[in-house]
Amino acid sequence: MAMLRSLFLSLCCLLPAIAAAQAPASAPAECVVPSKPGGAMDLTCKLAKKSLAQEGVAGAAAPMRISYLPGGIGAVAWHSMASQRRRAEANTLVAFSGGSLLNLAQGKFGNAKAGDVRWVAAVGADYGMIAVRSDSPYKSLADLIAALRQHPDKVLIGVSGTIGSQDWLKMALVARHAGIDPKVLRFVALEGGGEVFTAMQADYVQVVSGDTSEATLNASANHARVLAVLSEKRLPGVLAGVPTAREQGVDVVWPIIRGVWMGPQVPEADYQRWVATFERAMATPQFAEWRAQAGLYPFALTGPKLTAYVRKAVDEYARQATELGLMR
C-alpha cells in the first residue's frame, strides 16, 4: 500500500512537468507585433494569420492570435522572446523587418546577435516611401526638398524610431542626395508606422518617412499623398501612379524584408514544422493575393536560406551605419 501511495505521489509530481512539456505544441499560435497597432509589423502578423489559417496553423489548438509588445523599436519583444521564460515557446512567432536587422546591426538590441533566435520565414518585400497629408501644400518630392532647403525648422518629419533607424536613414539619404545636411532636419521619433501616420493626420508632423505597405493603407483611404517610393521602378497596385525618387532626380532605393522569427530554444521538430507550414502557405495563389492586398511584394525565404540572408544583411547594415557615422 505504501508503495502504491508513493507511486501515485510520484505520478502527481510528474504529470505537471509532462503537461508543461506538451503545452507548446498544442497551445494556440501567437504572432507578436513588436510595435503599436496599425503599422507594417502589424500587417506582417495579419498576413501570417490569414495565410496560416488555410494550413490549420500546424497543430495549434485555435486560430492564431495577434499580440502587441511595443518598445525600443523591437528591443522589448526581442529580449522578451529571447529570455529564459519564453525562448522555447513552440507556437510563438515574432514579426521583423529590415529595420529590425538594422537595429540589431547597430547594437540597439544590446549584445544580441543574429544567431540568437531562429529565423522562420520572409513573407514579402516592402519599400521605403515619403508621404504627406492629402491636403499638404507639397505636391511632389521637389516641393518638399525646396521647403526643407528654405525652412528645415518648420517641417517636422515623423519616423518610427530614433536617429539611426531605417526611417531616419531613408530621409537622411534623400536629404543628403539633395545637398541638405541631415543634421538640420527636425525628426519626431514615434513607435511604429501606425502611430506615425496618426501623428501626421493630427498635423503633429507634416511628413512621414515610412514604408509602402503602410502608405498603401492610408493612400487608399485618401489619408495621405505619397510623394515618392524608394524602389527601383514604379510599383503595381494602389501606388502605381507614384513616381520613384529616382524619377525625380534623387537616387535613393530602400528595400525592406518582412518576416517572422522564433525563440532560440524552440525544439527542432517544431521549428521545422513552422518552416514547412510557411513554405506550403506561401506557394498558394491565395497567399500571393493576400500579400498584394497587404502592400507587399514577392520575396520568400525560409529556414537556413533566410538565416544566411539575415546574417549577411546585418553585416551590410553595420557597414552602412559605420559609413554614416552612426557606429564606431
Side-chain angles (χ1 to χ4, degrees):
M1 189 71 177
M3 183 180 295
L4 287 175
R5 184 173 182 274
S6 176
L7 178 60
F8 176 75
L9 290 174
S10 298
L11 286 172
C12 286
C13 293
L14 184 60
L15 284 173
I18 295 173
Q22 292 177 338
S26 59
E30 176 185 6
C31 190
V32 177
V33 179
S35 65
K36 293 183 179 180
M41 294 288 200
D42 198 359
L43 281 173
T44 301
C45 278
K46 287 176 179 175
L47 175 60
K49 180 178 181 177
K50 269 187 178 182
S51 58
L52 294 174
Q54 66 183 343
E55 291 292 327
V57 197
M64 174 178 279
R65 72 183 184 92
I66 296 176
S67 61
Y68 300 88
L69 194 56
I73 315 302
V76 171
W78 180 281
H79 290 296
S80 173
M81 291 308 302
S83 69
Q84 197 64 40
R85 184 174 65 86
R86 303 194 68 181
R87 60 196 289 122
E89 291 185 6
N91 274 335
T92 302
L93 306 167
V94 184
F96 78 92
S97 72
S100 309
L101 306 185
L102 177 61
N103 288 339
L104 188 61
Q106 293 182 63
K108 292 188 176 182
F109 292 172
N111 294 322
K113 301 288 186 277
D116 292 348
V117 300
R118 310 199 75 172
W119 303 95
V120 179
V123 298
D126 204 348
Y127 290 92
M129 63 85 218
I130 309 296
V132 294
R133 277 175 36 147
S134 55
D135 59 355
S136 170
Y138 311 131
K139 308 296 184 185
S140 66
L141 187 58
D143 289 344
L144 175 59
I145 288 172
L148 291 173
R149 282 197 180 111
Q150 189 170 7
H151 296 294
D153 57 317
K154 295 182 178 179
V155 184
L156 296 180
I157 304 164
V159 296
S160 178
T162 55
I163 292 176
S165 70
Q166 68 167 348
D167 287 352
W168 183 92
L169 276 172
K170 293 172 206 167
M171 197 66 212
L173 289 171
V174 168
R176 191 171 70 170
H177 193 281
I180 302 170
D181 184 353
K183 293 179 182 178
V184 306
L185 302 182
R186 294 186 63 191
F187 291 97
V188 177
L190 298 160
E191 184 73 42
E195 187 170 270
V196 175
F197 271 93
T198 298
M200 185 170 70
Q201 292 314 309
D203 204 28
Y204 180 56
V205 299
Q206 290 74 54
V207 181
V208 165
S209 173
D211 308 326
T212 54
S213 56
E214 298 161 351
T216 297
L217 292 177
N218 289 274
S220 60
N222 296 319
H223 289 163
R225 177 189 301 129
V226 182
L227 301 182
V229 292
L230 306 183
S231 53
E232 296 87 351
K233 57 184 180 180
R234 292 201 185 196
L235 301 173
V238 174
L239 303 179
V242 179
T244 65
R246 277 182 173 176
E247 287 180 68
Q248 301 177 75
V250 178
D251 191 10
V252 175
V253 174
W254 193 277
I256 304 159
I257 183 178
R258 299 211 172 275
V260 292
W261 56 265
M262 306 182 78
Q265 290 185 355
V266 170
E268 181 67 18
D270 291 299
Y271 172 67
Q272 293 299 336
R273 170 171 59 87
W274 278 110
V275 168
T277 300
F278 271 96
E279 287 175 346
R280 290 195 304 270
M282 293 191 295
T284 65
Q286 184 65 70
F287 177 83
E289 182 180 333
W290 285 331
R291 181 181 58 209
Q293 290 172 356
L296 299 180
Y297 304 91
F299 187 89
L301 285 177
T302 58
K305 289 183 178 180
L306 174 60
T307 301
Y309 176 94
V310 165
R311 287 178 173 171
K312 185 177 179 180
V314 169
D315 289 343
E316 178 61 18
Y317 280 135
R319 184 190 65 79
Q320 291 178 337
T322 300
E323 289 178 355
L324 287 168
L326 299 171
M327 293 176 62
R328 294 181 179 179

